[in-house]
């Protein structure tokens, strides 16, 4: 379900739950379970505190399991009178979602990739077609099949090797976000013997089609803290540790630049970033530090030709975009591509062979900026509604003039567009269908501003039904938010 569909569902649901919950008599004699008090002393930096419920951290302790089961039973008993409402709400939400649906395919290499859902099935079916959307469909991964015998199924990764023959994917059948990594030969449909347990699901292929970089996590804190390198056909127990993030405030992840030239290992916390890069053609090579971490400095990088492009908040509260030679990544070599601006926040960017695309936020609204590398005919996409959400979509292909972007508003369901950055023509590839008789022409959106007590102008977006008025002629407000 998209955010748009919840606009009209969320408020009635909350009102109904609050109303019915308040009307409950409260005469249920069921008593809540009481956790045992087992004082446990904790001391750090000279500070001593006592945690009476520290024992509840022991996941495998039968007493903990018994107590949690008692809590669940109590909750079920207290909420039993809401079960009919719960079922009714579920059926209403389900009734507004198309059950047989398909994502918009994207091109990567020789194939078009997409996923779809089938009526009566709960999970994604990953598919691809070679060369043309008219070609025969190949199912690369059916999560419904993998979910058989499990109460939970989630997949992460789902990445094909550079030659598009091997699929790497990770699944979680418990719900703790601890995944198990598998490899599938797409030419035969068979699983390889290589399996790696207890991973995060984050991964990136090197260009040799044999080496996969993947992340593992601390099983106690679930913090992603290690990056390993696996070579197909070797024992996973012998996988090489490439990087370990030892600072408990930081987590790490791995990905591949759109140019397919570099494997990037990123470390991050709330206000700081550090990245390393490895030549994807030389996966056993060193992981070079792009720029050492600094307090309050966040940055993202991508690559094009012999240049790295960096989104950075160094001397730029709202971020700026700079470039630097691949062989000189220090700040002394940085040059502004898009300078810092006090009134515009630089959200993200994407790189194509002929274009740089920048996602910016001005006056609370997203703007998409198209900048040819030639420097000519730079422009912004135009959107007609006063309040909307637009952002860069899935753009895996580097050598294309088509930008895929997503657009939606409080009256327009989520739409996927392909935009020709040369001709400036846009093609609607898909608009989410909202079942139940929704007609966007029945509603209107407006955008207002209010001045807060500190003098800051706050944008307010409002949606209301056309033609329905209240006392004094004001429109009936359906939903609104500030930005």
């Amino acid at each position: 379900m998209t955010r748009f569909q919840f606009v009209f569902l969320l408020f009635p649901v909350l009102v109904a739950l609050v109303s019915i919950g308040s009307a409950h008599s409260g005469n249920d004699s069921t008593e809540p379970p009481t956790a045992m008090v087992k004082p446990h002393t904790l001391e750090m930096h000279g500070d001593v505190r006592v945690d009476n419920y520290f024992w509840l951290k022991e996941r495998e302790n039968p007493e903990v399991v018994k107590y949690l089961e008692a809590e669940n039973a109590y909750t079920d008993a207290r909420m039993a009178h809401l079960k009919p409402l719960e079922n009714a709400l579920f059926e209403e939400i389900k009734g507004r979602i198309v059950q047989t649906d398909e994502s918009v395919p994207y091109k990567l290499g020789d194939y078009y990739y997409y996923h779809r859902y089938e009526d009566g099935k709960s999970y994604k079916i990953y598919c691809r077609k070679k060369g043309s959307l008219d070609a025969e469909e190949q199912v690369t991964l059916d999560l419904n099949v993998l979910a058989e015998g499990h109460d939970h199924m989630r997949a992460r990764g789902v990445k094909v090797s550079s030659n598009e023959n091997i699929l790497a994917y990770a699944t979680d059948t418990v719900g703790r976000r601890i995944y198990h990594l598998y490899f599938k030969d797409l030419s035969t449909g068979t699983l390889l013997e290589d399996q790696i347990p207890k991973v995060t699901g984050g991964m990136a292929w090197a260009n040799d089609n044999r080496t996969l970089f993947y992340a593992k996590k601390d099983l106690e804190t679930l913090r992603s803290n290690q990056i390993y390198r696996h070579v197909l056909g070797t024992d996973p127990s012998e996988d090489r540790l490439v990087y370990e993030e030892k600072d408990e405030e930081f987590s790490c992840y791995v990905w591949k630049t759109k140019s397919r030239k570099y494997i990037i290992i990123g470390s991050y916390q709330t206000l700081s970033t550090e990245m390393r890069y490895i030549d994807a053609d030389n996966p056993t090579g060193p992981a070079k530090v792009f720029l050492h971490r600094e307090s309050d400095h966040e940055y993202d990088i991508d690559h094009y030709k012999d240049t790295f492009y960096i989104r950075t908040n160094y001397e730029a509260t709202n971020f700026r975009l700079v470039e630097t030679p691949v062989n000189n990544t220090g700040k002394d070599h940085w040059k502004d591509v898009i300078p810092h601006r006090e009134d515009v926040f630089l959200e993200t960017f994407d790189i194509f062979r002929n274009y740089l695309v920048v996602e910016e936020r001005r006056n609370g609204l997203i703007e998409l900026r198209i900048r040819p590398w030639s420097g000519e005919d730079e422009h912004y996409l135009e959107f007609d509604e006063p309040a909307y959400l637009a952002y860069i979509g899935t753009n895996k292909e580097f050598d294309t003039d088509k930008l895929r972007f997503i657009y939606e508003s409080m009256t327009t369901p989520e739409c996927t567009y392909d935009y020709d950055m040369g001709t400036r023509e846009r093609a609607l590839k898909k608009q989410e269908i909202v079942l139940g008789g929704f007609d966007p022409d029945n509603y209107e959106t407006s955008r207002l501003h209010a001045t807060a007590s500190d003098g800051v102008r706050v944008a307010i977006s409002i949606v209301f039904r056309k033609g329905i008025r209240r006392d004094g002629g004001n429109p009936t407000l359906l939903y609104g938010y500030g930005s």
Side-chain angles (χ1 to χ4, degrees):
M1 172 169 290
T2 66
R3 181 178 69 87
F4 168 83
Q5 291 165 311
F6 270 107
V7 165
F8 297 100
L9 289 173
L10 183 59
F11 278 82
V13 168
L14 292 176
V15 170
L17 285 173
V18 171
S19 299
I20 294 181
S22 299
H24 182 53
S25 66
N27 292 327
D28 194 330
S29 60
T30 304
E31 292 296 327
T34 301
M36 290 183 291
V37 173
K38 296 182 179 182
H40 180 85
T41 301
L42 299 167
E43 183 173 356
M44 183 175 290
H45 305 304
D47 180 65
V48 178
R49 64 186 178 90
V50 177
D51 185 346
N52 290 329
Y53 305 103
F54 188 85
W55 66 278
L56 288 173
K57 293 180 60 177
E58 302 169 9
R59 295 177 180 275
E60 307 303 324
N61 185 335
E63 288 185 340
V64 173
V65 174
K66 181 179 179 181
Y67 174 73
L68 293 177
E69 289 176 343
E71 276 198 344
N72 288 337
Y74 173 75
T75 300
D76 290 342
R78 293 289 292 179
M79 300 293 287
H81 66 289
L82 291 176
K83 198 65 178 178
L85 173 63
E86 179 184 328
N87 294 334
L89 290 174
F90 174 78
E91 291 301 325
E92 179 178 349
I93 293 174
K94 181 180 176 181
R96 292 178 183 268
I97 302 174
V98 177
Q99 297 300 300
T100 299
D101 200 8
E102 184 176 301
S103 68
V104 180
Y106 64 84
K107 183 96 167 23
L108 178 62
D110 295 331
Y111 290 86
Y112 288 89
Y113 291 85
Y114 59 98
H115 65 263
R116 57 183 176 82
Y117 293 93
E118 292 183 356
D119 191 7
K121 297 183 178 180
S122 300
Y123 299 103
K124 289 180 181 178
I125 302 172
Y126 291 88
C127 310
R128 68 178 186 177
K129 294 181 179 181
K130 188 173 184 178
S132 167
L133 292 176
D134 296 325
E136 181 180 357
E137 177 183 86
Q138 178 187 12
V139 174
T140 58
L141 191 67
D142 188 341
L143 297 187
N144 298 284
V145 175
L146 300 182
E148 294 177 1
H150 302 286
D151 295 328
H152 175 84
M153 169 57 63
R154 186 178 182 184
R156 285 199 65 201
V158 193
K159 296 184 184 296
V160 295
S161 57
S162 298
N163 62 8
E164 300 179 283
N165 288 336
I166 306 297
L167 180 71
Y169 66 94
T171 61
D172 169 22
T173 59
V174 177
R176 285 204 69 213
R177 291 174 292 171
I178 299 175
Y179 294 81
H180 196 100
L181 177 58
Y182 299 90
F183 298 87
K184 183 178 181 180
D185 187 331
L186 294 178
S187 63
T188 63
T190 58
L191 287 178
L192 303 184
E193 293 184 1
D194 309 57
Q195 293 187 23
I196 306 173
K198 301 176 182 178
V199 302
T200 72
M203 62 186 77
W205 283 99
N207 291 338
D208 62 358
N209 302 299
R210 298 181 61 245
T211 304
L212 184 82
F213 292 84
Y214 64 92
K216 300 194 78 169
K217 62 177 61 179
D218 183 295
L219 296 182
E220 181 67 24
T221 64
L222 301 186
R223 178 177 67 94
S224 180
N225 67 333
Q226 295 176 326
I227 305 297
Y228 280 85
R229 183 180 66 233
H230 176 72
V231 178
L232 292 179
T234 65
D235 187 343
S237 66
E238 300 176 357
D239 286 356
R240 186 69 175 268
L241 176 64
V242 179
Y243 176 71
E244 182 172 11
E245 181 52 70
K246 296 184 179 181
D247 189 329
E248 294 182 355
E249 292 187 357
F250 283 76
S251 298
C252 62
Y253 60 98
V254 63
W255 60 284
K256 192 175 186 180
T257 60
K258 190 173 180 179
S259 65
R260 304 190 183 188
K261 176 63 176 173
Y262 294 103
I263 303 296
I264 306 295
I265 297 174
S267 291
Y268 66 96
Q269 50 108 284
T270 306
L271 296 174
S272 182
T273 311
E274 181 178 78
M275 294 195 180
R276 291 166 168 77
Y277 59 102
I278 300 170
D279 189 334
D281 291 324
N282 181 25
T284 60
K288 301 177 181 178
V289 177
F290 183 89
L291 186 72
H292 286 288
R293 66 190 66 180
E294 298 174 313
S295 180
D296 298 324
H297 184 206
E298 304 168 66
Y299 67 91
D300 310 304
I301 64 175
D302 208 344
H303 167 260
Y304 179 51
K305 293 185 176 180
D306 58 354
T307 303
F308 278 118
Y309 289 85
I310 310 111
R311 173 185 172 268
T312 172
N313 69 347
Y314 176 68
E315 298 182 343
T317 304
N318 285 335
F319 288 83
R320 59 185 170 127
L321 188 67
V322 301
E323 64 181 12
T324 193
V326 166
N327 58 354
N328 288 297
T329 60
K331 293 176 187 173
D332 293 344
H333 301 277
W334 289 8
K335 295 181 179 179
D336 273 345
V337 177
I338 298 179
H340 176 254
R341 292 151 294 169
E342 294 291 343
D343 60 338
V344 179
F345 184 82
L346 201 160
E347 296 268 0
T348 188
F349 67 99
D350 203 346
I351 291 176
F352 299 81
R353 182 177 297 279
N354 298 318
Y355 296 91
L356 167 68
V357 178
V358 184
E359 186 177 302
E360 303 174 344
R361 185 179 294 274
R362 188 194 306 267
N363 294 325
L365 293 176
I366 295 292
E367 296 180 340
L368 299 182
R369 181 178 184 177
I370 313 301
R371 183 187 179 107
W373 294 114
S374 65
E376 301 176 356
D377 298 324
E378 179 178 332
H379 64 281
Y380 287 85
L381 270 69
E382 296 183 358
F383 303 112
D384 297 330
E385 295 183 278
Y388 62 86
L389 174 66
Y391 55 93
I392 297 171
T394 301
N395 293 276
K396 299 288 188 180
E397 193 172 8
F398 177 72
D399 190 13
T400 179
D401 289 344
K402 299 287 182 64
L403 166 71
R404 176 157 295 171
F405 72 91
I406 312 299
Y407 177 91
E408 65 176 296
S409 75
M410 293 189 292
T411 59
T412 303
E414 182 182 279
C415 298
T416 302
Y417 285 94
D418 279 353
Y419 178 72
D420 191 307
M421 294 180 279
T423 66
R424 304 193 185 187
E425 297 177 349
R426 68 184 72 184
L428 177 62
K429 309 304 291 186
K430 180 181 180 180
Q431 179 171 307
E432 294 290 342
I433 298 173
V434 183
L435 302 177
F438 170 75
D439 184 352
D441 291 335
N442 291 333
Y443 305 94
E444 185 175 341
T445 298
S446 65
R447 194 163 189 262
L448 309 174
H449 288 83
T451 302
S453 59
D454 58 1
V456 174
R457 294 178 74 237
V458 179
I460 303 171
S461 300
I462 301 174
V463 61
F464 53 91
R465 188 177 179 91
K466 296 177 181 177
I468 298 180
R469 301 283 173 172
R470 279 185 171 178
D471 295 341
N474 295 321
T476 298
L477 175 66
L478 294 181
Y479 183 66
Y481 62 89
S483 61

